[in-house]
Amino acid sequence: EMLRSLVGSEMCIRDSGFLGHILLGLYVMLLLVVLFFTNKNLLQSLENIRITTNSYDYLVSYRNAIKKIVRTTNKIIVLIFPLAIIPIYWFVFKNTETYNNIIHEIEPLYLFLSVLGLAIILSLIGVFIYKISTKMLYGSYLHQLDALISDLDVLTTDIDYK
């Protein structure tokens, strides 16, 4: 009797999609952990800038570290957006009539190309949003940093010639 009850409860869990929710949660958690450690390593490059150098070298090192963070974050977004969103869409729509119609009516190659196209579109949207938000939030500060480095570069060049 107990064995039959356990088998019945397992069927109930599997049929309710509970296991799917757990797997989706683990998948999203894994993506977030990867993002966390990647960003932690990127921010470490700011910690490694030597304060004992002159102001010009310090600012150039700081600007280079910021540019590296922005480039790496762009690459991460290109991968993470599709990797996060496409499985979530699949999980939400997998038991719907529309999903079943699409799976049975579209040839596998066209389905693959459609998912690939969706991944590329999501990547482009993610990069566009990231670039716009970075420019809005930090654009003026980065521009001032570049201007300050340029001014210091001119000053050091003038001093070298005299």
Side-chain angles (χ1 to χ4, degrees):
E1 180 67 30
M2 188 171 189
L3 181 60
R4 200 169 3 139
S5 174
L6 287 173
V7 170
S9 66
E10 181 211 331
M11 294 294 288
C12 182
I13 289 172
R14 190 175 62 218
D15 291 343
S16 70
F18 183 72
L19 184 60
H21 286 92
I22 291 173
L23 291 175
L24 182 64
L26 290 172
Y27 176 74
V28 170
M29 181 189 73
L30 177 67
L31 289 175
L32 291 174
V33 166
V34 167
L35 280 174
F36 171 79
F37 284 110
T38 302
N39 282 321
K40 184 179 177 191
N41 288 338
L42 286 173
L43 291 176
Q44 187 65 36
S45 65
L46 291 174
E47 297 283 332
N48 293 337
I49 297 174
R50 293 183 314 160
I51 299 174
T52 57
T53 62
N54 61 43
S55 297
Y56 176 77
D57 290 338
Y58 175 79
L59 291 174
V60 169
S61 298
Y62 185 78
R63 180 188 61 189
N64 291 339
I66 294 294
K67 286 185 176 185
K68 178 183 176 189
I69 290 170
V70 169
R71 277 192 314 269
T72 305
T73 303
N74 264 326
K75 291 175 186 175
I76 289 171
I77 287 174
V78 165
L79 293 173
I80 294 295
F81 247 56
L83 287 177
I85 293 176
I86 289 175
I88 291 170
Y89 275 118
W90 172 80
F91 183 75
V92 169
F93 294 111
K94 72 179 178 176
N95 293 326
T96 64
E97 185 177 333
T98 305
Y99 173 80
N100 290 328
N101 290 339
I102 289 172
I103 292 298
H104 295 301
E105 291 178 13
I106 297 179
E107 292 183 35
L109 177 63
Y110 294 129
L111 185 61
F112 172 77
L113 291 175
S114 298
V115 171
L116 182 63
L118 179 62
I120 290 169
I121 290 169
L122 289 172
S123 294
L124 292 174
I125 290 171
V127 168
F128 176 74
I129 290 171
Y130 176 73
K131 285 187 177 194
I132 293 293
S133 62
T134 302
K135 189 160 242 16
M136 287 175 59
L137 294 172
Y138 305 112
S140 64
Y141 298 118
L142 294 174
H143 181 69
Q144 289 174 0
L145 180 61
D146 286 337
L148 184 59
I149 290 171
S150 177
D151 290 347
L152 286 172
D153 194 29
V154 168
L155 287 174
T156 55
T157 304
D158 287 346
I159 291 173
D160 290 340
Y161 284 123
K162 292 182 181 181

